[in-house]
Structure formats: structure tokens, C-alpha cells
Amino acid sequence: MANKNKKYKNIDFSKTTITELMIPSYANFSGKIHGGILLSLMDKVAFACAAKHSGSYCVTVSVEGVEFIQPVEVGELVSLNATVNYVGKSSMIIGIHIDSMNPKTGVNKHTNTCYFTMVAKTDDGKVHKVPGLILETQEEIKRFAEGKAIKKMSKRKRELLNKGIEHYSEKNLLNNCDGERCEINFDIK
């Protein structure tokens, strides 16, 4: 029942899970799965979830909170569970919970949680308004509030990166080096 014109959708409408077997070609020299393989899977599940919610093509704008808590081994099944946690006008913050399971032992481990900001696009590449969210549980309200905070934090981070540290005085730059693991090998004028 995909209705592109629906103004609000509940979170269950676009929940998406991808499960994939981790094969030897995904591994690094120590036998652990490359982080890039996992990032690619995260991007796929974020796209699928966002596309289902928006009813349109979506692009990745930013990724927050990718920290690899536990390694993933060859032979494990990785499940990526994605939900729309927050929506703006054309953007959606997709929360992704990643687990890895050893099918022989049944041992399941949480490997990480992260957030992808996706933007809906029209066929001609313009941003596309997305449906709002129907929040039906306390947990969904909590995740919506977290998504709003992530959006605000991401905006501040972009402003800092765009502004850069060029506005710092030489003294401030040097003070930032105090107590750090660096050595300055030139005379300050």
C-alpha cells in the first residue's frame, strides 16, 4: 500500500532489514571484515529505508556516529536494521542498528549504531518534500528527539568545518598544541 501522496507515515511502513553473509573477500589481513564493506551495507539499508518513506530517490548527505564497537568475522551474518527516526522538509535521519551473529553458535553481538542523513530528490535532481512521521510509542518520540539533536549537531559541525580555524590567532593555534603529542620545529615570529 505505497501511497506517495500520504502526508504522514508510521515508522513501521519503512522499516528495513538487510542481512548478509560475511565472506572471505570482505576481510582484511587479520580476518576481520573491512569497515568499508560495512559502511557500504549501511548506505544501502539507509537508502532503502529512506526511499520507502519518501517514495523517491534519495542521496546520502552525512553519516554520524559510526564507531565499530566489535569486529565482524568471516562467516558471520550481519543484520542491519534501519528506521526513519526524524524527518525535516526533505531530509530524513535514518537510525541503523547493526548486529552480527555466528550461525554455528547462535551468539549475537551488537557491532554498532549509526545515523545517516538522507535527502529525497525528484527525477530532475531537486529536493523533494517527504511525508511526516506518525509517532506511536515513547521510544519513537525519543528517537525523533535524538534525530532533531543530531541534525542540530551536524549543522554546527558543518559550520565549524566550513569556517575552519583560519580565524584563530597564531597564539591560539599554539595554545591548542600545548599538552598534545606534537612538536613544533620552527621559530614563532
Side-chain angles (χ1 to χ4, degrees):
M1 182 177 119
N3 181 355
K4 289 173 110 174
N5 297 324
K6 195 170 181 183
K7 292 186 181 193
Y8 290 86
K9 294 180 181 176
N10 66 19
I11 289 172
D12 283 344
F13 179 85
S14 57
K15 272 187 180 175
T16 305
T17 298
I18 292 175
T19 301
E20 187 161 334
L21 173 66
M22 297 294 103
I23 59 177
S25 63
Y26 292 174
N28 60 25
F29 292 113
S30 67
K32 310 298 184 210
I33 301 304
H34 282 287
I37 296 292
L38 297 171
L39 282 166
S40 176
L41 291 171
M42 291 176 215
D43 195 46
K44 287 177 188 176
V45 76
F47 171 84
C49 183
K52 283 167 72 174
H53 180 78
S54 67
S56 62
Y57 181 75
C58 296
V59 295
T60 305
V61 173
S62 69
V63 180
E64 304 291 342
V66 176
E67 295 178 19
F68 298 101
I69 301 166
Q70 297 189 62
V72 177
E73 309 285 339
V74 170
E76 292 182 339
L77 296 171
V78 171
S79 293
L80 302 96
N81 302 291
T83 58
V84 178
N85 288 1
Y86 174 84
V87 295
K89 290 178 187 158
S90 62
S91 66
M92 297 155 282
I93 295 183
I94 310 300
I96 306 171
H97 180 96
I98 299 106
D99 290 313
S100 181
M101 196 245 318
N102 182 320
K104 290 180 183 177
T105 65
V107 172
N108 197 42
K109 61 186 176 187
H110 174 66
T111 63
N112 71 309
T113 301
C114 63
Y115 305 91
F116 274 58
T117 300
M118 308 295 287
V119 169
K121 298 279 191 161
T122 61
D123 290 340
D124 60 352
K126 293 184 171 68
V127 294
H128 179 277
K129 187 174 180 181
V130 300
L133 277 180
I134 299 169
L135 305 175
E136 300 175 305
T137 68
Q138 190 72 25
E139 183 65 22
E140 290 174 355
I141 293 168
K142 177 183 165 275
R143 287 182 181 168
F144 190 88
E146 287 173 345
K148 186 175 178 181
I150 288 167
K151 182 177 180 177
K152 190 175 185 180
M153 177 190 67
S154 185
K155 182 179 179 186
R156 283 195 302 251
K157 180 182 73 175
R158 276 193 312 277
E159 288 169 355
L160 174 66
L161 292 173
N162 289 336
K163 188 175 184 180
I165 59 171
E166 293 84 26
H167 67 283
Y168 278 37
S169 70
E170 193 167 291
K171 182 179 178 183
N172 284 342
L173 288 171
L174 290 173
N175 287 341
N176 277 315
C177 296
D178 285 346
E180 298 296 328
R181 294 185 46 85
C182 63
E183 186 177 294
I184 299 171
N185 286 332
F186 70 95
D187 291 327
I188 307 296
K189 296 177 186 175

